[in-house]
Amino acid sequence: MPTFFKMNLDQQSVELPGTRSPGATGHYRHPDYVDGLVECIRADPHIGTLYELFQNSVSLYSEREFLGHRPYNATSQTYGSYVWQTYGEVDKRVNAFGSGVMHLNSVILGNQQQNRWSLGIWSLNRPEWFISEMSCNYFNLVSVALYETLGPDAVEYVINHAEIPIVVASGNHVASLLENADKLPGMKVIISMDPLVEPAQVPGATSAARVLRTWASSKGIRLYDFTEVEALGSAFPCKHLPPAPEDVASFCYTSGTTGQPKGAMLTHRNFIVAVATNSEAMIISPDDTLISFLPLAHIMGRYIDTLITYSGARVGYFHGDILALLDDAVELKPTFFPAVPRLLNRIYAKLVTATVGAPGLVGALARKGVAAKLANLEAGKGLHHALWDRLLFNKVKMALGGRVQCMVTGSAPIAKEVLNFLRIAFGCVVVEGYGATESMGTALITGAEEHIPGHVGGPRSGCEVKLVDVPEMKYFSTDKPFPRGEICLRGGHIIKGYYKDEKNTTEAFDSDKWYHSGDIGFVDDRGCFTIVDRKKNIFKMAQGEYVAPEKIENVLTARCNLIMQIFVYGDSLESSLVAISVPEPETFVPFACGITGLKVGVTDLEGIQKLCQEPAVRNAYLKELEKAGKAGGLRGFEFVKRVHLTTDAFTVENGMLTPTFKVRRPQVQAYYKEQVNAMYGDLKNAAPAARL
């Protein structure tokens, strides 16, 4: 089970004397590391690269189970129990696949350059993802993740920008790659993770595999499946080409809300320092099990899987359907459950409905149990309660398999009430972290015993932090009672810059190697940091006040469980904000039906659309947004005054979300221009009536 080191909750960071400069605070560090940041894994200082990390684990845990997945039974159309490959078995597959890829590139394609080229990987989390990436580390290649949710245009950009000759993809992406092959002149080989097997011959029948191979040949593309490349590597083994710590291990493309993605250059040293930093706060045991569903194309999923690999523990991949994730958890029984607020909010909503929101005796007992456990937590008496755990919460824990000891959340704010409810419901440590792709997802984190929610803790052992003035938003390092400003990070986990992008590199990283995050925060008297705003995407309202819509959206989403998605907009010629919101069906339907008296199911899209159009429902929804805004400390001009409800979700496919699920503001604004204008018109019509 994960073990956490104790920390002084009253001093979670310290400002180093003599480090203040004009317009900035001093440098804040973890109290135990004021004399120097962590630069290596202290228990294994010889590990300097991902290659050495995995070789170390293979030598120690060769016979232990490592990668697990649930095979699909085509006859019953169900997923079976987890099957496992050991560390030793995976090592053999990495050797074979990596050798096969090297043979393809050098002999079959005629490319004599043996290192520093890029291998593309495009799939959901699965064993072949790890094997493909680790093969890059065996032969000093650069892995490039193609997001599962990237559209064709972005895939085209990344493959061409990173000059990728070989793409490894799950079977469902092969046709898309072939369809766009004419726009990908550098791509010469596609490797399907799924078998391209010819079925038994039927007179007159043509298999899908044969069609794909013929299509690829017509495009000048060589198409193989994973087992064919492994067989090729077994026949033509290659000598390892171990990387150096400062070599780039991966390009991780971060998608912005405008413009093309930026290729963050992650070095082997960045990965190792991230693992080292996490190891100083938490020990993962070889007996632990991770459920891996956070996209491996994103940094959080990537470094957590790497930490598990170093620890000799097990990685169980979800079967691909996020809506059925809890089914995987019950089957796997993980001890470590990383997540993001959007998922935790949904789990919270379901638990509340089944416990404190339940009718009759069940609801009454649950409310007493929750109140008792929350009182214990807030008094610093821990997560467990002998009576209420036995009566209620031991059953609740089974929703995640019954063995979860640690949950980690990040990427966006999470409401205080959600955080504490999950802590007492599952009886496990729930920590909230802060980081970015540029910092390997590693920067700040709350302590395991923290019982005061609403912040992201202090710096990790390998990171130092400072706050820099943002005069245009009136945030200053001299503010009282606490310093405020843009969060800047430094340490061995910070990337060296963006691939082929000097402009963005220069803007984000200064000459002293500080990464300027664009996030605004303050540090309190305990040394805890709280994120309060965002420097980018700000606009000025008619009354002269600056507004950061992302901050408002985060506040509302974290505190109103009716919201699935929300877009806050303000016109510079107007003095009020309006919003477009997609309601969360599971909470919105009973809420709206209670107002209208209508009977609508949570899967009845037409019925939900009718509920969205009801004026009484919109008004009640707006009041819930107001409550959330007050709870989140929004200022008067930051409150939304009108809302349009819709069932048309913002998606990557319709161009309104980035692949990392951030709102593309110009696109959403343009799409809902008519509704926005109508809301502002309604506000203007209401203003004269209000004066009468």
Side-chain angles (χ1 to χ4, degrees):
M1 303 297 178
T3 303
F4 296 86
F5 296 107
K6 288 186 177 293
M7 67 180 299
N8 181 358
L9 296 180
D10 293 326
Q11 189 183 49
Q12 299 190 30
S13 68
V14 294
E15 187 179 16
L16 301 186
T19 58
R20 292 189 181 183
S21 59
T25 65
H27 307 167
Y28 286 82
R29 290 184 180 178
H30 189 291
D32 295 338
Y33 302 92
V34 293
D35 294 329
L37 300 176
V38 167
E39 295 284 348
C40 68
I41 304 172
R42 292 199 291 177
D44 292 292
H46 64 282
I47 296 177
T49 66
L50 290 170
Y51 171 78
E52 292 167 341
L53 181 145
F54 189 54
Q55 291 297 297
N56 183 75
S57 293
V58 170
S59 68
L60 293 174
Y61 312 113
S62 179
E63 301 302 317
R64 294 190 71 94
E65 292 177 344
F66 178 32
L67 301 183
H69 74 286
R70 300 181 68 184
Y72 181 69
N73 186 317
T75 302
S76 63
Q77 296 186 336
T78 59
Y79 287 88
S81 300
Y82 277 88
V83 296
W84 296 91
Q85 300 171 65
T86 67
Y87 276 83
E89 290 168 341
V90 173
D91 174 51
K92 291 178 181 177
R93 293 192 68 188
V94 172
N95 269 302
F97 184 77
S99 292
V101 165
M102 295 298 286
H103 185 77
L104 280 173
N105 186 65
S106 62
V107 177
I108 295 179
L109 296 184
N111 298 330
Q112 296 305 309
Q113 183 184 11
Q114 290 296 301
N115 59 7
R116 311 318 302 142
W117 52 275
S118 300
L119 180 75
I121 308 173
W122 192 8
S123 82
L124 291 172
N125 303 15
R126 55 190 287 177
E128 291 81 6
W129 210 110
F130 178 91
I131 292 166
S132 299
E133 182 193 32
M134 189 53 66
S135 70
C136 293
N137 301 325
Y138 276 37
F139 297 99
N140 202 13
L141 308 179
V142 179
S143 65
V144 182
L146 302 171
Y147 288 23
E148 182 69 16
T149 50
L150 277 178
D153 291 345
V155 169
E156 174 191 335
Y157 173 81
V158 172
I159 291 176
N160 289 332
H161 188 259
E163 302 174 67
I164 298 172
I166 300 176
V167 176
V168 187
S170 51
N172 60 310
H173 291 309
V174 172
S176 176
L177 288 168
L178 290 174
E179 189 175 5
N180 291 280
D182 295 339
K183 301 175 183 178
L184 306 169
M187 184 183 70
K188 303 300 182 184
V189 174
I190 299 171
I191 302 171
S192 172
M193 292 181 178
D194 298 296
L196 297 172
V197 180
E198 300 290 344
Q201 292 299 313
V202 178
T206 302
S207 72
R210 186 177 300 174
V211 170
L212 285 174
R213 291 184 190 274
T214 302
W215 189 10
S217 179
S218 71
K219 295 277 189 176
I221 301 292
R222 294 176 181 266
L223 177 61
Y224 300 85
D225 68 23
F226 212 84
T227 55
E228 289 173 332
V229 176
E230 287 182 281
L232 188 63
S234 296
F236 299 97
C238 293
K239 182 181 178 181
H240 294 176
L241 299 169
E246 297 303 326
D247 284 338
V248 174
S250 182
F251 297 147
C252 189
Y253 280 82
T254 64
S255 56
T257 54
T258 59
Q260 295 291 3
K262 296 174 292 188
M265 296 185 287
L266 313 179
T267 67
H268 285 269
R269 179 171 181 259
N270 294 150
F271 274 98
I272 298 307
V273 173
V275 170
T277 294
N278 282 276
S279 299
E280 294 292 328
M282 174 177 63
I283 296 176
I284 302 293
S285 159
D287 294 324
D288 280 310
T289 300
L290 166 77
I291 184 165
S292 177
F293 67 94
L294 296 179
L296 292 176
H298 300 180
I299 196 60
M300 186 175 174
R302 198 87 157 272
Y303 87 72
I304 287 176
D305 279 26
T306 305
L307 178 64
I308 293 294
T309 302
Y310 165 69
S311 305
R314 303 194 307 173
V315 178
Y317 297 107
F318 83 129
H319 74 263
D321 182 0
I322 196 67
L323 297 178
L325 179 65
L326 297 188
D327 181 54
D328 291 326
V330 170
E331 180 68 33
L332 181 64
K333 297 177 174 56
T335 60
F336 193 16
F337 192 100
V340 291
R342 185 177 178 183
L343 174 64
L344 294 181
N345 285 337
R346 288 188 173 186
I347 293 174
Y348 166 77
K350 288 185 177 181
L351 289 181
V352 165
T353 301
T355 56
V356 296
L361 181 61
V362 171
L365 287 173
R367 287 188 287 275
K368 287 185 178 180
V370 167
K373 291 199 71 174
L374 284 176
N376 271 2
L377 178 66
E378 291 167 5
K381 296 180 180 179
L383 299 167
H384 302 288
H385 191 290
L387 173 63
W388 291 110
D389 284 348
R390 187 173 70 253
L391 290 178
L392 178 64
F393 294 103
N394 287 341
K395 297 177 182 177
V396 173
K397 290 169 62 175
M398 298 309 296
L400 297 181
R403 297 178 64 234
V404 171
Q405 299 295 309
C406 176
M407 302 176 78
V408 180
T409 180
S411 83
I414 185 168
K416 300 176 183 179
E417 56 270 24
V418 174
L419 202 62
N420 278 350
F421 185 90
L422 293 174
R423 284 169 172 158
I424 60 103
F426 291 113
C428 71
V429 170
V430 183
V431 294
E432 184 175 6
Y434 167 82
T437 301
E438 291 82 354
S439 70
M440 289 295 303
T442 299
L444 304 160
I445 198 164
T446 56
E449 297 178 328
E450 182 62 84
H451 58 278
I452 301 174
H455 60 88
V456 290
R460 293 181 179 231
S461 59
C463 179
E464 59 183 348
V465 189
K466 69 175 180 178
L467 301 177
V468 175
D469 292 352
V470 187
E472 66 272 24
M473 298 179 72
K474 298 180 182 179
Y475 291 117
F476 298 97
S477 56
T478 54
D479 285 345
K480 302 297 181 183
F482 305 126
R484 301 188 300 174
E486 181 181 9
I487 293 175
C488 298
L489 310 171
R490 187 166 68 174
H493 60 307
I494 301 296
I495 68 168
K496 60 171 62 177
Y498 305 113
Y499 185 54
K500 297 181 185 176
D501 193 345
E502 187 62 32
K503 179 179 180 294
N504 280 311
T505 297
T506 302
E507 289 178 0
F509 305 90
D510 65 28
S511 58
D512 291 323
K513 298 183 178 180
W514 287 97
Y515 165 59
H516 294 249
S517 70
D519 291 314
I520 308 296
F522 71 83
V523 57
D524 64 22
D525 52 6
R526 295 198 303 152
C528 299
F529 287 79
T530 300
I531 313 301
V532 297
D533 216 330
R534 180 71 179 156
K535 188 176 178 181
K536 298 178 181 178
N537 294 326
I538 63 172
F539 53 79
K540 186 185 285 188
M541 300 292 290
Q543 65 270 47
E545 297 285 1
Y546 282 97
V547 172
E550 288 180 351
K551 180 197 79 169
I552 298 171
E553 290 160 1
N554 287 333
V555 167
L556 297 179
T557 302
R559 289 164 177 81
C560 179
N561 67 359
L562 298 176
I563 300 171
M564 184 167 76
Q565 295 174 318
I566 191 165
F567 167 77
V568 172
Y569 176 74
D571 192 304
S572 60
L573 299 178
E574 303 287 350
S575 58
S576 300
L577 300 176
V578 297
I580 306 294
S581 184
V582 181
E584 173 62 58
E586 290 185 4
T587 52
F588 173 73
V589 168
F591 168 81
C593 287
I595 295 168
T596 62
L598 298 174
K599 293 184 178 181
V600 176
V602 296
T603 59
D604 179 1
L605 184 61
E606 185 176 342
I608 297 173
Q609 288 173 337
K610 290 181 179 178
L611 292 174
C612 289
Q613 294 166 4
E614 290 286 337
V617 171
R618 284 201 304 270
N619 290 336
Y621 197 97
L622 193 61
K623 288 181 180 179
E624 293 301 311
L625 295 183
E626 182 178 348
K627 291 179 185 177
K630 288 179 179 178
L634 295 182
R635 294 167 290 180
F637 60 86
E638 293 177 312
F639 281 80
V640 169
K641 298 301 182 182
R642 290 291 185 274
V643 64
H644 173 76
L645 302 180
T646 178
T647 56
D648 295 332
F650 313 153
T651 67
V652 176
E653 290 72 22
N654 65 24
M656 288 190 274
L657 284 186
T658 73
T660 51
F661 305 112
K662 296 176 184 176
V663 175
R664 292 190 187 273
R665 313 199 75 81
Q667 288 84 341
V668 177
Q669 178 186 340
Y671 186 84
Y672 286 104
K673 182 178 179 180
E674 182 180 335
Q675 289 81 359
V676 166
N677 290 339
M679 285 188 283
Y680 275 122
D682 185 47
L683 281 169
K684 289 175 182 177
N685 291 333
R691 290 195 293 267
L692 294 177

